[in-house]
Structure formats: structure tokens, C-alpha cells
Amino acid sequence: LRLLPQQRYLRTERAEVSALERKRNILCCLITRILKVEKQLHVDNLVFRVIDACQKGDLGPGVRFLSFCCHSVDVLSCVLHLLNQGYLRRQEGRPQVLEY
């Protein structure tokens, strides 16, 4: 019986999944923080604010993190996730406006 060493790509894949989960958590935190302050915001404005905060590395008052590249698709994916979880809702009659 011969034991094979653990394959490198499996470790790399786990690391990538972990990094993506951290990125999604940060984006979800940014979205909720912004909407808590604004109460309601057009989805386009929300996307621009989140992307700007990611580039600056600013999570809110007194909280900093390493800036990272984020795209509108990433933010919209997190918005959909938060909508499905019930943390956000669309304004009735104006579905492009999100409320916390």
C-alpha cells in the first residue's frame, strides 16, 4: 500500500474558497453599514459606494481593512444574497431602490 501526498491543487482550491468567503463577508458588511445610515438607496448608488469603500479600504468609522479589487458583479451578487436572506428589501413600486 502506497500513500499519495495530498495534492496541491486541493489546498489551493480551499484557500481560494476561503478568500472568496471573506470577500463576500466584507461586501455584505459594507452594504448593510451603508444602508443602515442611508435607510434607502438606489442600487446603482449603493454599488458605487461599496466599490469606492473597497478601493479606499474603509469599512466605516474607525474600521480599516486592506483594500481589494471588487466589481459591480460582486456587489450585486451580495445584494441578491442579502435580499434572499431578508436583510434588505426592495421599495414597493420602485424595485431599484433598496431599503435596510
Side-chain angles (χ1 to χ4, degrees), residues 68-100:
F68 61 90
C69 180
C70 111
H71 301 282
S72 59
V73 174
D74 301 326
V75 178
L76 290 171
S77 173
C78 289
V79 166
L80 287 175
H81 175 73
L82 291 170
L83 281 167
N84 288 333
Q85 295 294 319
Y87 293 108
L88 305 179
R89 67 175 180 232
R90 294 174 189 254
Q91 199 174 63
E92 208 167 305
R94 293 175 50 195
Q96 71 276 16
V97 176
L98 300 171
E99 297 176 337
Y100 178 74

